[in-house]
Amino acid sequence: MRFDHDTLAQRVRFASGAAAENLAVEIKGLGASRVMVIAAEAERALARRVAAGLPVAHWHHEVAMHVPVEVAERAREEAAAHRVDALVCVGGGSTTGLAKAVALTTGLPIVAVPTTYAGSEATNVWGLTENARKTTGTDPRVLPRAIVYDASLMLTLPAALSVASGLNALAHCVDSMWAPRADPINLALAGEGIRALRVGLPLVAADPGDLEGREHALYGAYLAAVAFASAGSGLHHKICHVLGGMFDLPHAQTHAVVLPHVLAFNAPAAPDAERRVAAALDAESATEGLARLRARLDAPRALRDYGMAESGIVPAAEAILAVVPTGNPTAVTLDGITRLLHAAWEGAEPR
Ligand code: NAD
């Protein structure tokens, strides 16, 4: 066995009902006295509750999907105008993404309080959108210093959104199995992430107020993000990145739809990944296990349901072909990727 593995340095505090308390401890530990709290309008009340005990210099509520550069610029200006010395983000991946955009140019430390399963809080990846083109990169400055996980903050996340977001996390795990920097450590994290999501998500789908299900799913989503940050983007993430950018599709739902098709495409040529995913899903085979879980969750099925036109399949396949990661287990051809996209577009059974 021989590998090189980077572990990203950040503290994780995980406790239901303790977000306000844990957040205050983290901000005190940073010695911050002028905090900017970033939360979307929809999470305004939640953020006020969680950050009530902090020395807040500015509340920022302008958040947009995929972090448009002009939104990032305004947030940076606000941070400078209010002489902010730390950032707190309360919300999903879009909110964490905005905090990262501010940290990227200012170096301000972030404490993240996530309220979806997107997992951006545990990666050093930033993303910005300009003229409908999303650019991503990695930078140590954007990695939050600490994450405050509180599963009780997610009880309001509707079942359908929870399922899509949870399958986005599952996709981080599955794609880590064959991603460019896959190694024994991120494979182990990804396997445990799949197991925890398999336990938690059905409980959440049946009852979004099930705290135990929320805890399992959130723990799984964290492991998923750590595995993904370490292993890098595999074929699944490249496909979703192209589709999201070209057709402005919703992030979590796109991942949820595409995942079974990429698994079916790669699993026959990736026996170790197949065995690990099957075991974590407690199933005979990885594809069967995922199909069973998706049926229990009533998972999103077709890209056309989210506004993608059939005419987009060929240009998307061509764009994906140009960014296929080296070392993908199954050889990727234009014909193969076109068939995969067509099945995902119409919601056919993965082959
Ligand atoms: P999102 O942040 O846009 O949130 C989706 C919706 O959920 C929003 O309407 C939000 O208001 C709502 N919401 C969030 N928390 C809620 C709660 N507790 N109760 C009720 N509603 C709630 O979407 P997302 O899927 O969390 O994140 C997607 C974004 O994150 C994408 O831009 C994606 O590229 C990015 N992302 C980045 C990384 C990274 O490593 N940089 C990783 C994963 C995702």
Side-chain angles (χ1 to χ4, degrees):
M1 198 183 279
R2 186 176 173 157
F3 59 88
D4 298 321
H5 178 88
D6 282 328
T7 298
L8 300 178
Q10 68 179 173
R11 179 176 297 110
V12 177
R13 293 187 182 267
F14 193 109
S16 297
E21 192 185 315
N22 279 336
L23 185 55
V25 172
E26 284 304 321
I27 290 299
K28 195 166 173 216
L30 287 174
S33 58
R34 298 189 63 79
V35 174
M36 174 154 123
V37 179
I38 302 178
E41 276 300 339
E43 279 74 61
R44 180 192 276 259
L46 192 75
R48 297 262 161 180
R49 222 171 58 226
V50 168
L54 304 186
V56 178
H58 182 57
W59 299 88
H60 188 86
H61 298 299
E62 189 198 15
V63 173
M65 271 251 283
H66 304 309
V67 198
V69 281
E70 54 286 1
V71 172
E73 225 13 84
R74 281 195 287 275
R76 289 164 178 162
E77 281 161 18
E78 302 273 3
H82 293 273
R83 292 175 289 110
V84 159
D85 59 7
L87 304 168
V88 165
C89 50
V90 183
S94 302
T95 307
T96 311
L98 180 58
K100 285 176 159 184
V102 177
L104 183 64
T105 53
T106 61
L108 288 168
I110 305 173
V111 180
V113 186
T115 64
T116 70
Y117 305 118
S120 176
E121 67 279 2
T123 82
N124 55 2
V125 180
W126 55 265
L128 281 164
T129 306
E130 187 166 22
N131 302 326
R133 269 184 66 96
K134 188 162 182 176
T135 312
T136 59
T138 59
D139 195 298
R141 281 175 299 182
V142 309
L143 180 74
R145 300 285 180 90
I147 310 173
V148 171
Y149 283 121
D150 179 344
S152 73
L153 302 180
M154 309 186 67
L155 300 176
T156 48
L157 192 66
L161 205 50
S162 300
V163 164
S165 188
L167 289 171
N168 180 190
L170 195 76
H172 289 149
C173 297
V174 173
D175 214 29
S176 292
M177 299 275 167
W178 42 63
R181 298 189 304 276
D183 68 37
I185 294 178
N186 47 48
L187 288 181
L189 294 170
E192 171 65 356
I194 294 172
R195 188 204 60 77
L197 289 161
R198 186 252 299 162
V199 171
L201 290 179
L203 298 174
V204 170
D207 173 10
D210 186 320
L211 186 61
E212 198 187 322
R214 289 287 182 192
E215 287 183 340
H216 283 291
L218 190 56
Y219 161 65
Y222 165 69
L223 294 179
V226 176
F228 169 62
S230 161
S233 284
L235 179 65
H236 171 86
H237 279 79
K238 295 293 183 188
I239 292 174
C240 292
H241 188 82
V242 168
L243 293 174
M246 281 180 107
F247 311 116
D248 197 26
L249 300 175
H251 179 84
Q253 290 83 348
T254 304
H255 280 264
V257 169
V258 171
L259 178 63
H261 298 279
V262 176
L263 180 64
F265 184 79
N266 269 349
D272 181 55
E274 143 67 32
R275 188 182 51 74
R276 285 174 188 265
V277 176
L281 289 173
D282 193 22
E284 288 283 302
S285 84
T287 45
E288 257 178 56
L290 182 59
R292 209 164 60 211
L293 178 64
R294 287 172 49 79
R296 284 183 75 186
L297 300 178
D298 192 18
R301 287 192 74 85
L303 293 173
R304 65 175 163 192
D305 294 345
Y306 298 97
M308 181 177 162
E310 190 173 9
S311 59
I313 293 174
V314 171
E318 284 165 353
I320 290 162
L321 203 59
V323 293
V324 171
T326 49
N328 188 65
T330 299
V332 182
T333 61
L334 186 60
D335 184 46
I337 209 73
T338 305
R339 275 191 278 125
L340 185 158
L341 287 185
H342 200 273
W345 175 80
E346 67 176 359
E349 283 306 312
R351 278 175 297 159

